[in-house]
Amino acid sequence: PGVVRTREMGETSRRVAGMGIWLETAPWVVLGPLNVVKVALINKPSPVARYIVVPPADECQAACAIARMWACLFWGLQTVVAVAILRRAVTPGLAAAAKTVVGAFLVAAFSHDVVTIVVCAAGLCELTAAACLATGATAVSP
């Protein structure tokens, strides 16, 4: 009986981790393309930008083509990685590595006053998802 209970708890833990990965990853599938359109085509500050980036960063991106190119690269790759994670088309280890890099850079950007606490929180969510993925868990829709 003890072995069965341990196995059940392991499966429950993996399912909870998988739902967490799904909940943290799914928004990127929507946010990524929307932000590519905003940055590449519209190139105007959004009404919610003040909650996400500090004013000089938003103004800098609007004025600088290379900053917009890097932003599109970031959002585009976040979309691709999110879709791959949700479709289980990438190994958990590789997905964990991608999420670790993104999470670390988002937290670092906050520490350098480039983004707000909202983005720092997103970075911490990325790091949490990376930790779940590093255990071998995969995304499971809630």
Side-chain angles (χ1 to χ4, degrees):
V3 173
V4 173
R5 182 167 173 77
T6 302
R7 196 174 103 222
E8 287 173 5
M9 288 178 66
E11 290 173 16
T12 300
S13 295
R14 275 192 297 278
R15 180 141 178 89
V16 169
M19 284 190 279
I21 292 165
W22 191 93
L23 290 170
E24 194 285 322
T25 301
W28 289 110
V29 175
V30 175
L31 292 173
L34 289 175
N35 277 291
V36 167
V37 168
K38 178 212 174 272
V39 171
L41 302 177
I42 299 170
N43 193 26
K44 301 265 190 253
S46 70
V48 296
R50 68 176 180 232
Y51 301 111
I52 300 168
V53 296
V54 296
D58 201 34
E59 294 160 11
C60 171
Q61 181 175 287
C64 181
I66 194 76
R68 287 191 305 280
M69 184 275 303
W70 282 111
C72 288
L73 182 64
F74 168 79
W75 289 109
L77 285 174
Q78 278 293 92
T79 303
V80 169
V81 169
V83 169
I85 289 170
L86 296 176
R87 294 183 54 115
R88 297 183 189 168
V90 63
T91 65
L94 185 58
K99 294 231 170 251
T100 299
V101 169
V102 171
F105 276 106
L106 292 177
V107 172
F110 172 73
S111 73
H112 291 96
D113 294 323
V114 175
V115 296
T116 66
I117 191 75
V118 173
V119 175
C120 183
L124 294 173
C125 286
E126 288 284 291
L127 292 171
T128 302
C132 291
L133 286 158
T135 68
T138 56
V140 177
S141 62

